[in-house]
Amino acid sequence: MAKATSDALGKEPIGKLLIKQAVPASIGILVMSLNVLVDSIFVGNWIGSIAIAAINVVLPVSFFIAALGMAIGIGGSSIVSRALGANNKEKALKTFGNQITLTLLVTVVMVALGLYFVDALIPAFGGKGSIFAPAKIYYTIILYGVPFLALCMMGNTVIRAEGKPKFAMVAMIIPSVGNLLMDYIFIYVFDWGMHGAAWATTVGYLMCFGYILYFFLSKNSELKISLSHFGLDKSILQEISSLGFVTLARQAVTSITYLLMNNILFNLGGEAMVAVYAIIGRMLMFALFPVFGVTQGFLPIAGFNYGAAQYDRVKESIYTAIKYAALVATLVFVVLMVFPAEIASLFLSNKPHMPAEELATNVFVLQHSPLAMRLVFAATPIIALQLIGAAYFQAVGKAIPALLLTLTRQGFFFIPLILLLPQFMGEMGVWLSFPIADVLATIVTGIYLVREIKTKLSGLVA
């Protein structure tokens, strides 16, 4: 029964299959994104706008360590999908065992380093002035739960590679719901402030880990590994590393971007400007959830059919995924262009008799967020090609083009732009860097993808 589920990736109509894979992925990402969004609203209203900025400072460090699990997960899951497509189940099992071992080894070491260098890392990522103290509280507690988050992110990609999108969706929903429930208890009821926000998030990670462990131990998973599969295999590690490095490089560049953005914006407008970016960052996670859902749904379909040498189905999956993702991206664009002020106001405290500093921050954020949001999301309708194109190369195991396309937007275009434009245009230069980078990266990705379709997916070339 379980095997038939993965076989369906190579048999069902692409449109139907993509919806079946993308809808649960979108729902899972939606709930996770809503978690980040509502969590920020709770923190902003129950603790303060400076607390939102503090969390924004911490996210790049904790997310980078957790992204190690995602990198190992996506790199290994590409192997798992192709191995199942080629009916090589032993390789799939060995790959999964190696993913678990590697995730544990790497994340535990990184957490230890992160805790040791805490006082240097937080200011480096923009945690200066009144942001430092709450950021350190949040960072220290969150880091203890990050290895579990890394295992969750790794396990979730493997669940999806098996062709079990509904289970992957539940795994994404559980920590989000748990976090929001704990937010209410720890922050609102117990009044633990930043300690409560951090513990709520950490408890959510633990709940997710418990569910994913249950899935792989149950009859729902076809990957029943034994102790021998945990032993590291050099060839598998090399393939996981080359493909996973694409995801890790993307997150590393994202963390560098946060570092630069927080520092540039702090210099332009202090804590209040960092708070504006914190809201924009939350919307970047939340608003694009359906586009990311289509991308996640596309990955196992492309990987499985490429492994089974069904190249016509791979091409069809590319075209269909771009069409679906472009449609939902356009809908997101319209909403953000029409309601930016209303969205920004959700994050701000309206409690009576607030301190003068917090009131001034709220006024600043309301003045600056609408234009910033419109500029940041100005190129949203075209990002489908960029995301699906980069995902294709990763899904089929082509690490070099996947890496180059992944780094194109943020590494090759965005970072140089935010270092250059603000010197001439100030705050406006920061926000304009987003759509310019999106347009340039989409052009480059389109060129690569068209060339790949014409040459490598002719049905004659593997």
Side-chain angles (χ1 to χ4, degrees), residues 67-122:
L68 292 165
M70 175 67 85
I72 295 166
I74 290 180
S77 294
S78 173
I79 304 171
V80 171
S81 288
R82 286 179 282 123
L84 291 173
N87 203 28
N88 187 352
K89 191 168 183 180
E90 181 58 30
K91 184 174 182 180
L93 292 170
K94 186 67 175 175
T95 300
F96 182 39
N98 274 232
Q99 285 177 282
I100 296 172
T101 303
L102 191 58
T103 301
L104 284 171
L105 288 174
V106 172
T107 57
V108 169
V109 171
M110 291 299 293
V111 166
L113 291 172
L115 289 171
Y116 183 78
F117 293 106
V118 56
D119 289 327
L121 284 171
I122 291 176

Side-chain angles (χ1 to χ4, degrees), residues 89-90 93 96 162 214-226 229:
K89 191 168 183 180
E90 181 58 30
L93 292 170
F96 182 39
E162 284 194 59
Y214 152 76
F215 171 83
F216 285 114
L217 293 177
S218 73
K219 63 181 180 180
N220 296 304
S221 173
E222 60 192 277
L223 295 177
K224 300 303 180 187
I225 57 177
S226 61
H229 295 126

Side-chain angles (χ1 to χ4, degrees), residues 340-361:
E342 291 80 0
I343 292 169
S345 65
L346 293 173
F347 294 87
L348 303 176
S349 173
N350 56 5
K351 58 190 178 185
H353 312 301
M354 69 178 66
E357 181 185 5
E358 187 174 344
L359 179 61
T361 299

Side-chain angles (χ1 to χ4, degrees), residues 58 115 118 122 134-145 198 202:
V58 171
L115 289 171
V118 56
I122 291 176
K136 184 174 181 179
I137 292 170
Y138 191 83
Y139 173 93
T140 304
I141 296 171
I142 283 292
L143 225 54
Y144 291 119
T202 301

Side-chain angles (χ1 to χ4, degrees), residues 56-387:
N56 199 58
V57 166
V58 171
L59 285 179
V61 183
S62 59
F63 274 18
F64 176 73
I65 298 174
L68 292 165
M70 175 67 85
I72 295 166
I74 290 180
S77 294
S78 173
I79 304 171
V80 171
S81 288
R82 286 179 282 123
L84 291 173
N87 203 28
N88 187 352
K89 191 168 183 180
E90 181 58 30
K91 184 174 182 180
L93 292 170
K94 186 67 175 175
T95 300
F96 182 39
N98 274 232
Q99 285 177 282
I100 296 172
T101 303
L102 191 58
T103 301
L104 284 171
L105 288 174
V106 172
T107 57
V108 169
V109 171
M110 291 299 293
V111 166
L113 291 172
L115 289 171
Y116 183 78
F117 293 106
V118 56
D119 289 327
L121 284 171
I122 291 176
F125 278 83
K128 303 169 184 176
S130 58
I131 299 176
F132 177 80
K136 184 174 181 179
I137 292 170
Y138 191 83
Y139 173 93
T140 304
I141 296 171
I142 283 292
L143 225 54
Y144 291 119
V146 164
F148 295 100
L149 175 61
L151 287 167
C152 291
M153 295 175 82
M154 182 276 295
N156 192 275
T157 61
V158 178
I159 294 173
R160 208 173 298 283
E162 284 194 59
K164 313 286 181 15
K166 291 182 180 178
F167 287 97
M169 175 188 72
V170 173
M172 297 171 77
I173 290 174
I174 285 176
S176 303
V177 174
N179 180 28
L180 295 180
L181 179 62
M182 294 300 107
D183 266 343
Y184 177 78
I185 295 172
F186 293 160
I187 303 175
Y188 187 76
V189 178
F190 291 171
D191 195 23
W192 286 357
M194 288 301 293
H195 290 87
W199 278 116
T201 302
T202 301
V203 169
Y205 296 162
L206 293 172
M207 293 170 68
C208 179
F209 174 74
Y211 176 80
I212 286 181
L213 181 63
Y214 152 76
F215 171 83
F216 285 114
L217 293 177
S218 73
K219 63 181 180 180
N220 296 304
S221 173
E222 60 192 277
L223 295 177
K224 300 303 180 187
I225 57 177
S226 61
L227 287 175
S228 63
H229 295 126
F230 289 100
L232 297 177
D233 180 280
K234 184 178 179 181
S235 63
I236 289 177
L237 286 180
Q238 287 177 337
E239 194 169 359
I240 290 175
S241 299
S242 63
L243 294 172
F245 183 72
V246 176
T247 298
L248 187 59
R250 178 171 59 242
Q251 188 56 47
V253 173
T254 299
S255 295
I256 292 170
T257 300
Y258 267 89
L259 183 154
L260 293 172
M261 286 287 290
N262 285 333
N263 281 282
I264 289 170
L265 291 171
F266 186 89
N267 292 333
L268 287 171
E271 291 93 340
M273 190 66 83
V274 176
V276 172
Y277 179 51
I279 292 174
I280 299 295
R282 296 302 179 279
M283 292 311 299
L284 284 167
M285 295 179 190
F286 169 72
L288 299 177
F289 79 88
V291 185
F292 295 140
V294 174
T295 305
Q296 289 293 314
F298 164 76
L299 283 167
I301 300 171
F304 187 99
N305 285 284
Y306 194 88
Q310 299 187 89
Y311 303 120
D312 285 341
R313 284 177 61 82
V314 177
K315 284 192 289 186
E316 186 182 353
S317 70
I318 293 171
Y319 296 140
T320 306
I322 291 174
K323 180 173 67 176
Y324 287 1
L327 175 62
V328 294
T330 301
L331 295 175
V332 167
F333 169 80
V334 172
V335 173
L336 290 169
M337 293 303 108
V338 176
F339 302 109
E342 291 80 0
I343 292 169
S345 65
L346 293 173
F347 294 87
L348 303 176
S349 173
N350 56 5
K351 58 190 178 185
H353 312 301
M354 69 178 66
E357 181 185 5
E358 187 174 344
L359 179 61
T361 299
N362 286 359
V363 171
F364 183 95
V365 170
L366 281 175
Q367 289 175 339
H368 289 254
S369 292
L371 177 60
M373 199 173 297
R374 286 191 173 107
L375 290 174
V376 167
F377 288 95
T380 297
I382 67 170
I383 65 169
L385 176 59
Q386 179 192 140
L387 292 174

Side-chain angles (χ1 to χ4, degrees), residues 426-448:
E427 177 192 353
M428 185 69 71
V430 174
W431 309 129
L432 280 173
S433 299
F434 285 86
I436 294 173
D438 279 331
V439 170
L440 294 174
T442 299
I443 292 171
V444 172
T445 303
I447 293 170
Y448 265 85

